């Protein structure tokens, strides 16, 4: 079980225990999330966050000329990195996911 899932389960259980009401989920701002994902800074950070096995797989795909698979690999890594960044900021700053996206957008725009 990933750390993110465990943390979410813990927070959900804590909220349910604290006030016995289900946690409210705010709808994610898809436009802001897409803007964050499209940011060159986030793509650069994504590549900097990858380990050697990821680069080995990427090199094999490039050498094989499999551009679609290479693009999919990059997109998956970027989306996972952005999601992790949003969750990290939301947890550290104790704010909603949309607020975390806004904070990250301001950071990458600076």
């Amino acid at each position: 079980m990933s750390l993110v899932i465990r943390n979410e389960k813990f927070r959900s259980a804590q909220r349910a225990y604290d006030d016995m009401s289900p946690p409210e989920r705010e709808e994610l701002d898809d436009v802001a999330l897409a803007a964050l994902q499209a940011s060159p800074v986030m793509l650069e950070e994504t590549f900097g966050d990858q380990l050697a096995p990821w680069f080995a797989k990427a090199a094999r795909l490039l050498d094989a000329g499999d551009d679609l698979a290479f693009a999919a690999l990059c997109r998956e890594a970027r989306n996972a990195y952005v999601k992790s960044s949003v969750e990290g900021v939301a947890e550290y700053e104790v704010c909603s996911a949309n607020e975390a996206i806004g904070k990250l957008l301001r950071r990458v725009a600076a």
Side-chain angles (χ1 to χ4, degrees):
M1 184 182 308
S2 76
L3 180 61
V4 172
I5 293 172
R6 274 187 288 186
N7 285 343
E8 181 58 31
K9 285 184 177 182
F10 173 77
R11 285 192 297 257
S12 179
Q14 186 65 43
R15 282 189 297 263
Y17 178 79
D18 287 345
D19 63 0
M20 297 301 191
S21 65
E24 294 180 21
R25 293 241 181 225
E26 106 181 271
E27 192 168 322
L28 198 59
D29 185 350
D30 292 332
V31 174
L33 182 61
L36 183 61
Q37 290 173 334
S39 165
V41 172
M42 292 307 283
L43 186 60
E44 181 181 354
E45 290 178 7
T46 296
F47 288 139
D49 194 51
Q50 301 308 309
L51 301 175
W54 185 90
F55 283 104
K57 184 176 182 178
R60 283 194 306 276
L61 292 173
L62 280 174
D63 291 342
D66 196 348
D67 295 340
L68 291 176
F70 176 73
L73 180 70
C74 292
R75 192 175 306 107
E76 288 170 11
R78 181 210 54 202
N79 291 348
Y81 181 78
V82 169
K83 179 181 178 188
S84 171
S85 296
V86 169
E87 290 173 346
V89 168
E91 186 173 329
Y92 181 76
E93 301 277 337
V94 188
C95 61
S96 72
N98 286 331
E99 290 171 326
I101 291 170
K103 290 174 189 262
L104 286 166
L105 280 170
R106 285 188 293 281
R107 181 181 64 89
V108 300

